[in-house]
Amino acid sequence: MTGTRQKKQQTMLSFGESQRVEPAQAMTGTQSPAGTERLMEEVCERRNAKKALKKVQANKGAPGIDGMTVGQLPGFLRKHWPMLRSKLLDGSYEPKPVRKVEIPKPSGGLRQLGIPCVLDRFVQQAVMQVLQKQWDPTFSEHSYGFRPGRSAHQAVAQAQQYVAEGYEHVVDIDLEKFFDRVNHDMLMSRVAKRVSDKRLLRLLRAFLNAGIMDGGRVNPPQDAGVPQGGPLSPLLSNLFLDDLDRELERRGHRFVRYADDCNIYVRSERAGHRVMDTIKRYLGKKLKLKVNEKKSKVARVNRVKFLGFRIVMSRRRGPRRGIAKESLERFKRQVRELTGRSRGRSLDRLIQELSKYLAGWRGYYGHCETPKVLRDLDSWIRRRLRCYLWDSWKTYRRRTTKLIGLGIRANKARHMAWRGSGERGAWHLSRTRVLHEALSNRFFREHGLVELVVK
């Protein structure tokens, strides 16, 4: 048996030979379904545990407060799975506090994350898989965030459809510090309506009360807040906000929700303000949530960004998906950083790093219906690269030699190099015919540069 095959078999055997537990049937509404008294057995079932391990490994991520890495998790489980499984089944498993991490928000400010230990992430993932299988079919069709088979692109397309039907004003609701304000008792009461297994209820409460380690000190548990960073947080947030979805459906509104980002589409500004007032009262009274007054607004759709996009109106084509101004500004900042002329990398290395970012960005924003924006960005990126190369050549002699090597006639190359020693900077010279001929679109394509416009 090869080492790889043996290792794979060890990982498979590490979860024991427990009898398979059939999943409980998907529930309807919020009534407790039959069979949820033994959900913890389903959480610990071998196939579910293997799937959870694979997912945690794929997601990677930083260690928690105990320092265990994702790479160390399989070995730990091979050795300790029977004990861990026993603790989960008898209800004695105790999660560790999460590690506080702050990351910059795209719109400014800092977002606080709580990074669970790798073992806790594995347990959360195993629990999430079981609960999501039951809960997800009961959630609103207007909810798109962190749900299997649903995406941000679908949410934006649905918003576009509402606009095409004449609902050209949007009530853009931004919940202030949503994940910090989710009331634990209110959340657990909603969980208890769907779950009868007291061990699982106790485990979920323990995750909520685990606390946050900040600067070596564990802050005492609060009565509100779901730390962002663990696999369970998105599912619990969808459960909590399902009440909002049902209320909006009851009122007959056309809306789209993606996690805590909710847009309601109406026919007039007056109707929008009326809806905003009533929804603010509902959120405060029923869910103890607060609307961010600075970021929430009522406006025409072309003035509101949604999931990085905005809907632009065209008399000939109707509403189209465009890229929000803020998203374009963030993109350009990132490209400027990657193509900074003082970083001293080879062209191939630079293009490799840049293309990795461009491919990911195109995978998301290529969903837009404004190809001219993408063409303009491609042109701007190539101009940045021409500047990078021109500055890296530095001297008159080197510039002349490089241009001749790229197929420019000697007299033209010398004249261009001479111009480069004058007052004209690289940004101005990057638009000249000589540099476009030497550093053509084809030149960058052959060096592996990813283009935003797919031909």
Side-chain angles (χ1 to χ4, degrees):
M1 180 183 295
T2 64
T4 304
R5 185 178 173 188
Q6 188 175 21
K7 184 176 179 181
K8 182 177 179 181
Q9 187 179 49
Q10 287 175 347
T11 303
M12 292 173 63
L13 294 175
S14 66
F15 295 110
E17 298 295 339
S18 58
Q19 185 177 1
R20 174 168 168 73
V21 178
E22 291 300 326
Q25 305 221 343
M27 69 194 81
T28 57
T30 58
Q31 295 181 350
S32 177
T36 62
E37 296 86 355
R38 292 178 57 80
L39 280 179
M40 193 60 82
E41 277 74 14
E42 191 175 336
V43 170
C44 296
E45 195 266 327
R46 179 183 175 187
R47 184 179 298 177
N48 187 61
K50 285 172 57 181
K51 182 180 177 183
L53 173 59
K54 188 175 181 180
K55 186 68 174 178
V56 171
Q57 289 177 305
N59 288 341
K60 300 179 182 178
I65 64 170
D66 63 354
M68 182 190 292
T69 64
V70 172
Q72 294 170 321
L73 180 60
F76 179 90
L77 290 175
R78 279 194 294 271
K79 186 175 181 180
H80 299 286
W81 171 246
M83 180 181 65
L84 173 61
R85 183 176 183 274
S86 177
K87 285 186 176 182
L88 290 170
L89 291 176
D90 66 21
S92 63
Y93 181 83
E94 291 291 336
K96 291 182 173 64
V98 298
R99 181 167 63 89
K100 180 181 177 181
V101 175
E102 291 182 334
I103 62 172
K105 292 182 179 180
S107 56
L110 295 173
R111 173 178 286 114
Q112 181 176 301
L113 299 182
I115 307 300
C117 296
V118 171
L119 184 60
D120 287 340
R121 292 212 292 272
F122 164 74
V123 174
Q124 284 196 33
Q125 180 66 33
V127 171
M128 188 277 291
Q129 289 167 180
V130 171
L131 295 182
Q132 186 176 63
K133 187 165 46 181
Q134 289 194 347
W135 295 358
D136 193 77
T138 74
F139 289 155
S140 168
E141 64 177 9
H142 302 280
S143 167
Y144 290 86
F146 307 108
R147 297 183 61 189
R150 288 177 164 247
S151 67
H153 290 163
Q154 292 174 336
V156 174
Q158 180 59 72
Q160 182 183 9
Q161 180 60 37
Y162 290 144
V163 177
E165 294 169 2
Y167 296 84
E168 298 183 8
H169 289 77
V170 60
V171 181
D172 183 14
I173 297 175
D174 184 278
L175 297 175
E176 187 174 291
K177 297 182 178 180
F178 165 71
F179 285 93
D180 297 334
R181 293 180 182 273
V182 174
N183 182 275
H184 290 175
D185 290 338
M186 295 176 67
L187 174 59
M188 289 305 301
S189 71
R190 286 156 174 77
V191 175
K193 291 178 180 179
R194 297 166 177 257
V195 173
S196 301
D197 192 323
K198 296 188 182 302
R199 297 165 300 176
L200 187 51
L201 292 172
R202 191 158 51 243
L203 179 61
L204 291 174
R205 175 71 78 165
F207 277 122
L208 293 176
N209 292 333
I212 299 176
M213 179 169 282
D214 183 11
R217 182 178 179 180
V218 178
N219 296 327
Q222 304 293 323
D223 62 357
V226 178
Q228 297 183 70
L232 268 172
S233 299
L235 179 64
L236 294 177
S237 68
N238 272 335
L239 174 64
F240 195 76
L241 289 175
D242 191 57
D243 282 26
L244 172 62
D245 297 340
R246 300 306 176 187
E247 179 65 17
L248 293 174
E249 288 176 353
R250 187 184 67 79
R251 298 184 186 190
H253 289 310
R254 289 158 176 80
F255 71 98
V256 178
R257 183 176 66 79
Y258 192 97
D260 58 336
D261 198 348
C262 182
N263 279 3
I264 307 169
Y265 296 85
V266 295
R267 291 190 181 274
S268 69
E269 185 176 355
R270 182 179 178 183
H273 286 294
R274 184 171 63 250
V275 170
M276 176 70 84
D277 291 341
T278 58
I279 295 303
K280 278 164 50 176
R281 286 197 297 271
Y282 172 83
L283 288 168
K285 184 177 179 180
K286 297 293 186 181
L287 299 180
K288 296 185 179 179
L289 297 175
K290 186 177 180 182
V291 171
N292 188 323
E293 299 286 352
K294 291 183 179 179
K295 295 184 178 179
S296 300
K297 56 182 173 291
V298 177
R300 293 190 69 86
V301 291
N302 60 345
R303 299 176 63 87
V304 175
K305 68 180 180 69
F306 182 49
L307 302 176
F309 293 89
R310 67 186 180 98
I311 298 175
V312 294
M313 301 301 296
S314 168
R315 290 182 180 179
R316 189 162 58 92
R317 294 185 177 181
R320 292 182 298 156
R321 296 184 298 273
I323 304 174
K325 177 183 176 182
E326 296 86 346
S327 302
L328 293 173
E329 290 173 350
R330 285 197 301 271
F331 172 82
K332 287 194 170 185
R333 280 199 302 270
Q334 185 64 28
V335 171
R336 286 190 186 101
E337 184 177 333
L338 289 169
T339 58
R341 296 175 224 170
S342 61
R343 300 187 65 178
R345 292 156 298 165
S346 68
L347 177 66
D348 288 337
R349 176 68 182 276
L350 169 61
I351 287 181
Q352 183 182 13
E353 294 177 10
L354 179 61
S355 291
K356 184 177 180 181
Y357 173 70
L358 295 179
W361 195 89
R362 182 182 69 184
Y364 186 78
Y365 288 101
H367 186 63
C368 76
E369 297 174 318
T370 51
K372 183 180 183 302
V373 174
L374 301 181
R375 286 195 296 270
D376 290 346
L377 288 176
D378 275 333
S379 177
W380 177 78
I381 291 165
R382 288 190 291 265
R383 191 175 176 189
R384 292 280 309 175
L385 291 174
R386 291 184 184 107
C387 289
Y388 184 89
L389 283 173
W390 185 254
D391 279 348
S392 71
W393 294 339
K394 294 182 180 178
T395 64
Y396 169 85
R397 178 176 294 180
R398 183 167 173 79
R399 286 169 176 170
T400 302
T401 302
K402 284 289 186 181
L403 289 173
I404 292 173
L406 290 167
I408 305 300
R409 292 203 308 269
N411 61 332
K412 279 189 174 183
R414 286 192 292 269
H415 179 69
M416 186 68 194
W418 174 79
R419 289 183 66 186
S421 62
E423 296 180 357
R424 297 292 190 180
W427 186 247
H428 172 81
L429 296 174
S430 65
R431 298 186 66 180
T432 60
R433 182 175 295 181
V434 171
L435 277 190
H436 269 261
E437 184 181 340
L439 305 172
S440 64
N441 297 359
R442 181 179 178 181
F443 169 86
F444 291 117
R445 210 173 289 131
E446 290 174 347
H447 277 76
L449 180 65
V450 166
E451 295 180 330
L452 300 179
V453 177
V454 180
K455 297 191 172 56

